[in-house]
Amino acid sequence: AATPMGAIPTGGAPGDARPGVVHVHTPGASMRDKVLDEFYNTELDYTYDLGVVVEVYIKPLRKDPSMLGKNGAAKVDDIFSNWEQLLMVNTEIVKRMREPGGRERVGEIFLQMADFLKMYAVFCAHQSKAMDAVAELRAANRRFESFLSYCQLRKETRGLDLISYLVKPMQRVCKYPLLFREIIKHSEKEAAAAPGGGSAASKAQLDVMRSAMAKIDDIVKVVNEKQRGAEQNDLMLELQTMDGAEEYEIMLPSRRLVEQRDVKACSVGIGGKTDSKLKAVRMYVFNDLVLLVLAGRRNKRSLFAYLLFDGASVRDAGSGKSNELEVQFAIEQRSYRIAFDTDAECAKFRAELDTAIAAHLEAAYREYMETAESEAFDDDAGAAAAAAAAA
């Protein structure tokens, strides 16, 4: 069987978890050196795993995309996105870390490679969709299921399934800041114990480590934001296409998901009488509206209520129960009773919803004032121009 060792050293000792991967262990290492060793060794392991996916999964599927059914080639891209690019980036990192003094220069290496690490934002934004695609294909396609089972039995995969590999890029990119913090922490301790706070070279190296950590922190934030944004867009698309949502505009660039949870709800008529029994619904709270969604057979969603924050208010439920509250929506001229499992959940949600409604109304007022001021300025400028022309 082929072993994906294109970027990492071969000839590992018997018993290594990953065939051909040679770890380093500095004799008599300080805590700082141990962290540097860990950084290097885990980078080797991670790069090996990226290679495993290319050799064991991607190449066979690209060679025979029919294993994924109709439009198989496109489905390969849906699952693996820019995985091969990630392998190229981390192959280069490993190559530079393997050079003489490479582990000591890890901060410099990551500053040089930082812009390439932004490629992780592309993959991580598609990670959730990729895992969903694998699950759906596995359930519907017996041939693909057999292929995945075979791959999991191969020596290179070490018994891990494909989903376990697909989460590794996100895990790794989030691990980098932690490793740099540990290196900096122990470097600072060594500098404090050294005469004069350490040599000029060690101080310069520490500054580079701090710069690298700041850069990696920024990249991780971008990756997280892209992932959250992609997941929210996927969710809003699903909600937009559910039964009953045709006449509403759910997908908006300015709309952000605040939270989602399972509750029970019913509409409330005049005089506080409920129009129906409490129903189990999924509640999605965005920055400008609440959606109450029913789950039918086979998890098919349907819209129960679309409730904009404009003119919304929260009050105690007419039932008198402390784990229930009523939300009145002036635009829809409806109220909805929402029941939570506990009083504490109800109180917490009420405070959060009050805050979200207030923030939305404040933002809407601010936008209104800015628009009014801009229009007034345009009117004044127009009047001044007309006066000047008349003169």
Side-chain angles (χ1 to χ4, degrees):
T3 304
M5 299 305 301
I8 44 186
T10 57
D16 278 348
R18 293 165 174 81
V21 176
V22 181
H23 288 169
V24 298
H25 302 284
T26 304
S30 65
M31 285 302 299
R32 177 180 177 277
D33 288 335
K34 287 179 180 178
V35 178
L36 287 170
D37 287 351
E38 179 191 356
F39 202 140
Y40 175 70
N41 292 334
T42 54
E43 192 68 21
L44 287 179
D45 291 344
Y46 172 63
T47 305
Y48 175 93
D49 288 341
L50 289 177
V52 164
V53 172
V54 171
E55 296 292 333
V56 175
Y57 292 99
I58 297 178
K59 286 185 177 180
L61 287 171
R62 288 204 192 284
K63 186 176 180 180
D64 184 9
S66 66
M67 280 192 279
L68 295 173
K70 189 178 179 181
N71 300 320
K75 290 174 182 175
V76 174
D77 291 334
D78 288 342
I79 295 170
F80 299 104
S81 185
N82 63 335
W83 190 281
E84 287 111 325
Q85 288 181 322
L86 303 188
L87 176 59
M88 291 173 64
V89 170
N90 287 86
T91 293
E92 184 62 26
I93 290 173
V94 166
K95 176 184 172 184
R96 297 185 186 194
M97 290 185 75
R98 287 182 61 202
E99 294 171 353
R103 294 198 300 284
E104 291 287 335
R105 294 187 299 102
V106 66
E108 178 186 334
I109 291 169
F110 270 75
L111 281 176
Q112 294 166 351
M113 298 296 296
D115 286 339
F116 296 101
L117 288 168
K118 292 176 183 176
M119 293 179 183
Y120 274 81
V122 176
F123 178 81
C124 294
H126 290 85
Q127 178 183 292
S128 178
K129 187 181 288 186
M131 292 192 291
D132 288 344
V134 170
E136 289 172 10
L137 285 165
R138 188 166 200 162
N141 188 324
R142 190 171 297 177
R143 190 178 172 201
F144 182 57
E145 159 69 18
S146 298
F147 171 72
L148 293 183
S149 298
Y150 161 72
C151 291
Q152 193 171 348
L153 293 173
R154 290 183 60 167
K155 180 175 67 174
E156 301 96 314
T157 61
R158 309 182 316 284
L160 299 178
D161 62 8
L162 178 55
I163 295 297
S164 299
Y165 282 101
L166 291 177
V167 300
K168 284 181 179 288
M170 188 67 183
Q171 291 173 339
R172 186 60 184 172
V173 79
C174 290
K175 185 74 180 290
Y176 287 137
L178 303 178
L179 290 167
F180 273 110
R181 285 191 184 91
E182 284 297 300
I183 294 169
I184 291 167
K185 180 178 76 174
H186 294 296
S187 297
E188 288 173 342
K189 286 182 179 179
E190 289 184 12
S199 66
S202 65
K203 290 177 181 177
Q205 194 174 72
L206 184 54
D207 286 340
V208 171
M209 290 288 187
R210 291 182 180 127
S211 297
M213 187 182 77
K215 189 79 172 177
I216 295 300
D217 274 338
D218 289 342
I219 290 170
V220 172
K221 286 176 186 174
V222 170
V223 170
N224 283 327
E225 286 168 6
K226 291 284 187 183
Q227 185 184 41
R228 281 195 296 269
E231 289 173 353
Q232 289 199 20
N233 287 339
D234 290 343
L235 172 62
M236 283 196 284
L237 179 60
E238 289 178 21
L239 294 174
Q240 184 68 75
T241 56
M242 68 182 163
D243 290 347
E246 301 83 4
E247 61 184 286
Y248 298 104
E249 195 171 19
I250 294 174
M251 291 194 72
L252 289 176
S254 60
R255 186 158 287 158
R256 292 177 292 100
L257 182 68
V258 177
E259 74 158 303
Q260 55 180 304
R261 64 169 72 198
D262 293 320
V263 295
K264 290 183 178 179
C266 64
S267 59
V268 179
I270 297 172
K273 293 182 178 179
T274 58
D275 293 346
S276 60
K277 293 182 179 180
L278 286 168
K279 300 176 181 178
V281 299
R282 185 73 171 172
M283 178 171 63
Y284 299 90
V285 182
F286 292 88
N287 58 315
D288 62 342
L289 88 158
V290 172
L291 293 179
L292 300 178
V293 177
L294 293 165
R297 290 183 179 179
R298 297 182 180 177
N299 250 358
K300 188 175 182 181
R301 295 177 172 135
S302 61
L303 184 63
F304 181 59
Y306 177 96
L307 310 166
L308 290 167
F309 281 177
D310 298 307
S313 60
V314 186
R315 63 189 182 191
D316 293 336
S319 65
K321 296 179 180 179
S322 55
N323 70 321
E324 296 182 1
L325 56 80
E326 248 173 59
V327 188
Q328 187 171 26
F329 296 90
I331 291 179
E332 291 78 13
Q333 297 184 338
R334 298 294 304 166
S335 292
Y336 287 84
R337 182 173 298 164
I338 303 174
F340 298 81
D341 289 337
T342 67
D343 296 358
E345 282 184 55
C346 183
K348 182 174 180 290
F349 175 76
R350 179 171 187 165
E352 291 171 349
L353 187 58
D354 279 335
T355 301
I357 291 172
H360 168 71
L361 295 178
E362 182 182 345
Y365 176 74
R366 190 164 54 247
E367 183 180 353
Y368 165 77
M369 292 301 295
E370 288 172 357
T371 302
E373 289 172 5
S374 176
E375 290 175 351
F377 176 80
D378 290 342
D379 290 343
D380 291 344

